[in-house]
Amino acid sequence: MSRRLPAATMAKPKVPKDYRQAHLHCRTFGHTWHLGEGSPDGNGFYRFVLLCEVCKARRIDTVNRRTGAILPGSRRYEYQPGYQAKGEGIVRRTVYRVEFIKRITNEEGN
Ligand SMILES: [Zn+2]
């Protein structure tokens, strides 16, 4: 059922050679969130700050204290420099995974 894409669109953006291992880890497996400081945020809301213990990203959510719903548009991520590779297009998770395996098996790539 998978639709084949034309060859031209198959050129995949690569993971930069100097991409940090911590960033690669989170791109591959997702973030490992721990609760950071939080605080009441206005009337009826609470602001959660989550910290990734691996790459030190922050996730900030404003939650309705009564319903538990996240205030629409409030979720925000703050990344360490270098996490978002610039001008490379969207690198797919599979590409990060391949790079992760290359690194842990000590292949140099080329
Ligand atoms: Zn992370």
Side-chain angles (χ1 to χ4, degrees):
M1 292 296 262
S2 69
R3 232 179 88 219
R4 297 247 157 187
L5 295 171
T9 65
M10 299 288 284
K12 288 179 286 195
K14 297 241 167 42
V15 180
K17 283 279 178 228
D18 59 352
Y19 201 67
R20 287 188 52 209
Q21 187 62 23
H23 296 165
L24 185 60
H25 186 281
C26 289
R27 291 287 197 182
T28 303
F29 303 114
H31 294 291
T32 304
W33 296 119
H34 281 216
L35 186 61
E37 87 275 22
S39 57
D41 188 0
N43 205 6
F45 291 92
Y46 191 86
R47 199 175 77 124
F48 279 126
V49 178
L50 301 178
L51 307 169
C52 176
E53 69 175 26
V54 178
C55 78
K56 312 305 179 198
R58 281 159 48 98
R59 190 179 96 188
I60 297 124
D61 286 334
T62 302
V63 175
N64 183 312
R65 295 174 75 144
R66 186 175 56 81
T67 67
I70 293 167
L71 185 67
S74 76
R75 178 165 289 179
R76 172 170 109 240
Y77 293 90
E78 295 172 356
Y79 299 109
Q80 293 295 311
Y83 183 82
Q84 292 168 300
K86 289 196 168 66
E88 300 290 326
I90 295 166
V91 180
R92 301 176 68 143
R93 183 166 281 210
T94 50
V95 175
Y96 285 115
R97 205 175 282 146
V98 168
E99 175 69 15
F100 192 93
I101 293 168
K102 269 187 192 168
R103 289 190 187 184
I104 62 173
T105 57
N106 289 318
E107 289 174 23
E108 287 306 311
N110 54 352

